[in-house]
Amino acid sequence: MYCKNSNFYSPAEKEHIFENEFLPHIHSIYNFAYRITFNEDDAKDLVQETYLKAFRFIDSFQKGTNAKAWLFRILKNSFINEFRKKSKEPAKVDYQEVETYYNSDEIDQPITSDLRVEAIKEKIGDEVSVALNSLDIDFRTVIILCDLEGFTYEEMAKILDIPIGTVRSRLHRARNLLRDKLKVYADSLGYK
Amino acid sequence: MKINKEKKEPMKEKPCEDHEYCIKVLNLIIDGEANEAEVLFFNTHIKECLACSEYYSIEQAIREAIKKKLEKKEAPADLIQELRTKVKESTRS
């Protein structure tokens, strides 16, 4: 991903890189795997496959570069190739419906009271996990990579193999959807 | 940010001309991906637009909730151990 040339690491160097550059990210990788599969066994298999693949191709990894992004990219590819087909996905978002809504005037209506902003802020914490999990996987992925893992748009583009403009627009849609779900939740509690 | 609720008048006098554009810029700013011109535009605009300053405040709260409230799943210790063993086996074979 970041280096086209192959390196020839000795077995000791390989183990050193694996231990010091790959393993420190294992909790982030596992957490991400769990959030896209919703299943501990699948997450475990996915992480195992990711790390073993990373090790197998360790010569194409440049020591000291962005191991975290490299691992996330391998995980994403493994997921698409093998897991996505068999894992159950949550309900798909109807893109047309979403786009119609976000192109309508409704989105432009501002929230008009401070009280409501405070109420929403207070309550979103409780509901954010449910709201995030209910998003389509592509939307969920960009939010996790950006907000939870702190990747830049450029890193996300490399991990996901999509242009940076697509990262931006997908994130934008994902945030609108998430916000909308949280807003519905706040409304249902009577904060209007 | 306080609002005078009795008068029911918006505190800020210059609403957005293009709220959708503002939201895009606002997200770039929170993500640390905005350019200088976008930052300058928004810093000026947000002081004057109630809708945008509220939107900004909620967006920040959502980001914060994602960072703080999401349960962080940790990789099981046996998985880490298994990986170490497999790696050692493969370098020694």
Side-chain angles (χ1 to χ4, degrees):
Chain A
M1 172 174 177
Y2 298 107
C3 178
K4 285 171 187 159
N5 306 319
S6 276
N7 302 284
F8 296 100
Y9 298 121
S10 69
E13 274 177 318
K14 286 182 181 177
E15 278 187 39
H16 188 268
I17 293 171
F18 189 82
E19 188 67 38
N20 296 289
E21 297 197 46
F22 294 176
L23 279 185
H25 301 294
I26 198 162
H27 295 307
S28 287
I29 292 281
Y30 181 81
N31 188 47
F32 182 61
Y34 180 76
R35 294 207 165 271
I36 56 176
T37 58
F38 295 125
N39 177 298
E40 286 181 8
D41 289 334
D42 283 348
K44 221 169 141 175
D45 288 349
L46 193 49
V47 172
Q48 169 136 312
E49 196 186 317
T50 301
Y51 270 82
L52 293 179
K53 216 181 261 177
F55 189 72
R56 213 178 314 135
F57 295 105
I58 202 163
D59 283 336
S60 62
F61 173 75
Q62 186 64 42
K63 213 158 76 171
T65 59
N66 196 337
K68 188 178 176 186
W70 197 66
L71 291 165
F72 268 82
R73 188 173 193 235
I74 296 173
L75 185 145
K76 188 261 329 178
N77 287 334
S78 303
F79 177 72
I80 288 175
N81 293 339
E82 288 162 50
F83 283 82
R84 200 167 191 173
K85 287 169 205 153
K86 65 172 186 180
S87 71
K88 284 180 202 156
E89 285 192 45
K92 281 268 180 191
V93 173
D94 182 338
Y95 276 80
Q96 192 52 50
E97 194 185 306
V98 170
E99 287 187 356
T100 309
Y101 175 72
Y102 285 105
N103 289 332
S104 74
D105 292 339
E106 234 175 306
I107 185 89
D108 291 332
Q109 289 176 5
I111 301 163
T112 49
S113 97
D114 248 7
L115 179 70
R116 176 159 175 192
V117 173
E118 290 311 312
I120 292 175
K121 278 164 74 172
E122 232 171 71
K123 289 292 162 195
I124 49 177
D126 307 336
E127 195 63 4
V128 75
S129 180
V130 178
L132 184 65
N133 289 348
S134 71
L135 293 185
D136 174 81
I137 188 156
D138 288 338
F139 292 140
R140 195 161 72 239
T141 297
V142 286
I143 297 248
I144 294 170
L145 293 180
C146 187
D147 294 352
L148 205 58
E149 298 302 336
F151 284 115
T152 63
Y153 289 5
E154 200 184 338
E155 287 169 328
M156 289 164 69
K158 285 178 181 164
I159 291 168
L160 301 170
D161 273 321
I162 53 176
I164 202 159
T166 309
V167 170
R168 220 175 278 135
S169 58
R170 196 176 289 178
L171 248 182
H172 183 69
R173 279 196 197 150
R175 294 201 194 290
N176 280 345
L177 284 167
L178 185 65
R179 191 185 164 94
D180 197 40
K181 282 175 191 292
L182 291 167
K183 190 166 153 280
V184 168
Y185 173 70
D187 285 348
S188 74
L189 292 172
Y191 298 102
K192 289 190 178 178
Chain B
M1 187 172 51
K2 296 282 172 204
I3 187 166
N4 187 340
K5 291 185 182 67
E6 283 174 13
K7 285 185 181 172
K8 289 186 180 170
E9 280 171 5
M11 183 183 75
K12 316 221 170 172
E13 291 169 355
K14 288 187 188 169
C16 323
E17 285 168 20
D18 184 353
H19 190 52
E20 187 66 7
Y21 172 73
C22 289
I23 290 170
K24 275 181 190 157
V25 174
L26 178 157
N27 277 316
L28 292 177
I29 286 172
I30 301 180
D31 292 342
E33 300 271 352
N35 63 34
E36 233 173 276
E38 286 163 337
V39 172
L40 190 69
F41 158 76
F42 202 74
N43 285 345
T44 315
H45 176 70
I46 201 167
K47 290 183 193 137
E48 300 170 334
C49 177
L50 179 65
C52 283
S53 67
E54 288 190 342
Y55 202 103
Y56 185 81
S57 150
I58 292 179
E59 272 308 315
Q60 274 189 318
I62 294 174
R63 306 280 211 286
E64 209 148 287
I66 288 171
K67 278 189 198 117
K68 288 186 182 161
K69 301 271 182 154
L70 278 191
E71 187 200 355
K72 308 262 189 316
K73 288 268 179 190
E74 294 218 333
D78 62 332
L79 171 64
I80 300 172
Q81 206 40 56
E82 207 180 318
L83 285 170
R84 280 198 176 108
T85 309
K86 284 192 174 164
V87 159
K88 284 208 169 77
E89 276 168 9
S90 81
T91 51
R92 270 145 221 194
S93 60

Short mmCIF file of all heavy atoms in Angstrom, two decimals, chain A residues 93-113:
data_model
loop_
_atom_site.label_atom_id
_atom_site.label_comp_id
_atom_site.label_asym_id
_atom_site.label_seq_id
_atom_site.Cartn_x
_atom_site.Cartn_y
_atom_site.Cartn_z
N VAL A 93 -30.05 0.26 3.50
CA VAL A 93 -30.64 1.58 3.42
C VAL A 93 -31.18 1.78 2.00
O VAL A 93 -30.56 1.35 1.04
CB VAL A 93 -29.55 2.65 3.67
CG1 VAL A 93 -30.07 4.05 3.41
CG2 VAL A 93 -29.02 2.51 5.07
N ASP A 94 -32.33 2.36 1.92
CA ASP A 94 -32.88 2.67 0.62
C ASP A 94 -32.27 4.00 0.16
O ASP A 94 -32.66 5.07 0.59
CB ASP A 94 -34.41 2.78 0.72
CG ASP A 94 -35.05 3.04 -0.64
OD1 ASP A 94 -34.34 3.54 -1.54
OD2 ASP A 94 -36.24 2.76 -0.80
N TYR A 95 -31.29 3.89 -0.74
CA TYR A 95 -30.56 5.09 -1.16
C TYR A 95 -31.46 6.16 -1.76
O TYR A 95 -31.30 7.33 -1.51
CB TYR A 95 -29.50 4.72 -2.21
CG TYR A 95 -28.22 4.24 -1.59
CD1 TYR A 95 -28.09 2.94 -1.11
CD2 TYR A 95 -27.15 5.12 -1.45
CE1 TYR A 95 -26.92 2.51 -0.54
CE2 TYR A 95 -25.97 4.68 -0.87
CZ TYR A 95 -25.86 3.39 -0.42
OH TYR A 95 -24.70 2.97 0.16
N GLN A 96 -32.42 5.68 -2.57
CA GLN A 96 -33.27 6.64 -3.24
C GLN A 96 -34.04 7.47 -2.21
O GLN A 96 -34.12 8.68 -2.29
CB GLN A 96 -34.25 5.90 -4.17
CG GLN A 96 -34.98 6.82 -5.11
CD GLN A 96 -34.02 7.74 -5.89
OE1 GLN A 96 -33.05 7.28 -6.48
NE2 GLN A 96 -34.26 9.04 -5.85
N GLU A 97 -34.54 6.74 -1.24
CA GLU A 97 -35.31 7.41 -0.19
C GLU A 97 -34.44 8.41 0.56
O GLU A 97 -34.83 9.55 0.82
CB GLU A 97 -35.83 6.35 0.78
CG GLU A 97 -36.93 6.84 1.71
CD GLU A 97 -37.27 5.75 2.71
OE1 GLU A 97 -37.57 4.62 2.27
OE2 GLU A 97 -37.21 6.02 3.91
N VAL A 98 -33.24 7.98 0.86
CA VAL A 98 -32.32 8.83 1.60
C VAL A 98 -31.99 10.09 0.80
O VAL A 98 -32.04 11.20 1.30
CB VAL A 98 -31.01 8.06 1.91
CG1 VAL A 98 -29.95 8.99 2.46
CG2 VAL A 98 -31.29 6.94 2.89
N GLU A 99 -31.68 9.87 -0.48
CA GLU A 99 -31.30 11.01 -1.29
C GLU A 99 -32.46 11.97 -1.50
O GLU A 99 -32.28 13.18 -1.46
CB GLU A 99 -30.75 10.54 -2.63
CG GLU A 99 -29.36 9.96 -2.42
CD GLU A 99 -28.65 9.61 -3.70
OE1 GLU A 99 -29.26 9.74 -4.77
OE2 GLU A 99 -27.50 9.21 -3.62
N THR A 100 -33.65 11.43 -1.66
CA THR A 100 -34.80 12.29 -1.81
C THR A 100 -34.97 13.15 -0.56
O THR A 100 -35.17 14.35 -0.62
CB THR A 100 -36.09 11.45 -2.02
OG1 THR A 100 -35.82 10.54 -3.08
CG2 THR A 100 -37.26 12.32 -2.38
N TYR A 101 -34.83 12.51 0.58
CA TYR A 101 -35.00 13.25 1.82
C TYR A 101 -33.95 14.34 1.98
O TYR A 101 -34.25 15.48 2.29
CB TYR A 101 -34.94 12.30 3.02
CG TYR A 101 -34.98 13.05 4.33
CD1 TYR A 101 -36.17 13.65 4.75
CD2 TYR A 101 -33.84 13.21 5.11
CE1 TYR A 101 -36.22 14.36 5.93
CE2 TYR A 101 -33.88 13.92 6.29
CZ TYR A 101 -35.07 14.49 6.71
OH TYR A 101 -35.11 15.21 7.86
N TYR A 102 -32.68 13.97 1.71
CA TYR A 102 -31.63 14.95 1.94
C TYR A 102 -31.55 16.02 0.86
O TYR A 102 -30.87 17.00 1.02
CB TYR A 102 -30.28 14.26 2.18
CG TYR A 102 -30.29 13.68 3.57
CD1 TYR A 102 -30.43 12.31 3.78
CD2 TYR A 102 -30.24 14.53 4.67
CE1 TYR A 102 -30.50 11.80 5.06
CE2 TYR A 102 -30.31 14.02 5.95
CZ TYR A 102 -30.43 12.65 6.14
OH TYR A 102 -30.51 12.16 7.40
N ASN A 103 -32.26 15.79 -0.23
CA ASN A 103 -32.31 16.85 -1.22
C ASN A 103 -33.55 17.72 -1.03
O ASN A 103 -33.74 18.69 -1.72
CB ASN A 103 -32.32 16.25 -2.64
CG ASN A 103 -30.97 15.66 -2.98
OD1 ASN A 103 -29.95 16.10 -2.44
ND2 ASN A 103 -30.95 14.65 -3.84
N SER A 104 -34.37 17.33 -0.08
CA SER A 104 -35.59 18.10 0.14
C SER A 104 -35.32 19.28 1.07
O SER A 104 -34.24 19.42 1.61
CB SER A 104 -36.66 17.21 0.74
OG SER A 104 -36.35 16.95 2.09
N ASP A 105 -36.32 20.12 1.24
CA ASP A 105 -36.15 21.30 2.09
C ASP A 105 -36.12 20.95 3.57
O ASP A 105 -35.66 21.71 4.39
CB ASP A 105 -37.31 22.29 1.86
CG ASP A 105 -37.23 22.87 0.45
OD1 ASP A 105 -36.12 22.82 -0.12
OD2 ASP A 105 -38.26 23.33 -0.06
N GLU A 106 -36.65 19.77 3.86
CA GLU A 106 -36.77 19.37 5.26
C GLU A 106 -35.46 19.48 6.03
O GLU A 106 -35.42 19.91 7.17
CB GLU A 106 -37.24 17.92 5.30
CG GLU A 106 -38.48 17.71 6.14
CD GLU A 106 -38.93 16.26 6.02
OE1 GLU A 106 -39.12 15.78 4.90
OE2 GLU A 106 -39.08 15.65 7.07
N ILE A 107 -34.38 19.13 5.35
CA ILE A 107 -33.08 19.11 6.01
C ILE A 107 -32.63 20.52 6.41
O ILE A 107 -31.86 20.71 7.33
CB ILE A 107 -32.02 18.46 5.08
CG1 ILE A 107 -30.66 18.31 5.78
CG2 ILE A 107 -31.82 19.22 3.79
CD1 ILE A 107 -30.51 17.03 6.51
N ASP A 108 -33.14 21.49 5.69
CA ASP A 108 -32.70 22.86 5.95
C ASP A 108 -33.39 23.53 7.13
O ASP A 108 -33.02 24.61 7.54
CB ASP A 108 -32.91 23.73 4.69
CG ASP A 108 -31.94 23.31 3.61
OD1 ASP A 108 -30.86 22.81 3.96
OD2 ASP A 108 -32.28 23.48 2.44
N GLN A 109 -34.39 22.84 7.64
CA GLN A 109 -35.08 23.48 8.75
C GLN A 109 -34.21 23.45 9.99
O GLN A 109 -33.82 22.38 10.46
CB GLN A 109 -36.40 22.75 9.03
CG GLN A 109 -37.42 23.02 7.94
CD GLN A 109 -38.69 22.24 8.14
OE1 GLN A 109 -38.85 21.56 9.16
NE2 GLN A 109 -39.59 22.34 7.19
N PRO A 110 -33.85 24.60 10.50
CA PRO A 110 -32.96 24.62 11.65
C PRO A 110 -33.66 24.22 12.94
O PRO A 110 -34.88 24.36 13.08
CB PRO A 110 -32.53 26.09 11.71
CG PRO A 110 -33.62 26.85 11.03
CD PRO A 110 -34.26 25.94 10.05
N ILE A 111 -32.89 23.71 13.83
CA ILE A 111 -33.40 23.44 15.18
C ILE A 111 -33.38 24.78 15.89
O ILE A 111 -32.40 25.51 15.79
CB ILE A 111 -32.46 22.45 15.89
CG1 ILE A 111 -32.39 21.15 15.09
CG2 ILE A 111 -32.92 22.18 17.30
CD1 ILE A 111 -31.21 20.28 15.47
N THR A 112 -34.42 25.10 16.59
CA THR A 112 -34.50 26.50 17.01
C THR A 112 -34.37 26.78 18.50
O THR A 112 -34.47 27.92 18.90
CB THR A 112 -35.81 27.13 16.54
OG1 THR A 112 -36.86 26.24 16.90
CG2 THR A 112 -35.80 27.38 15.05
N SER A 113 -34.17 25.76 19.32
CA SER A 113 -34.00 26.18 20.71
C SER A 113 -32.81 25.54 21.37
O SER A 113 -32.46 24.39 21.13
CB SER A 113 -35.28 25.91 21.50
OG SER A 113 -35.15 24.68 22.19
#
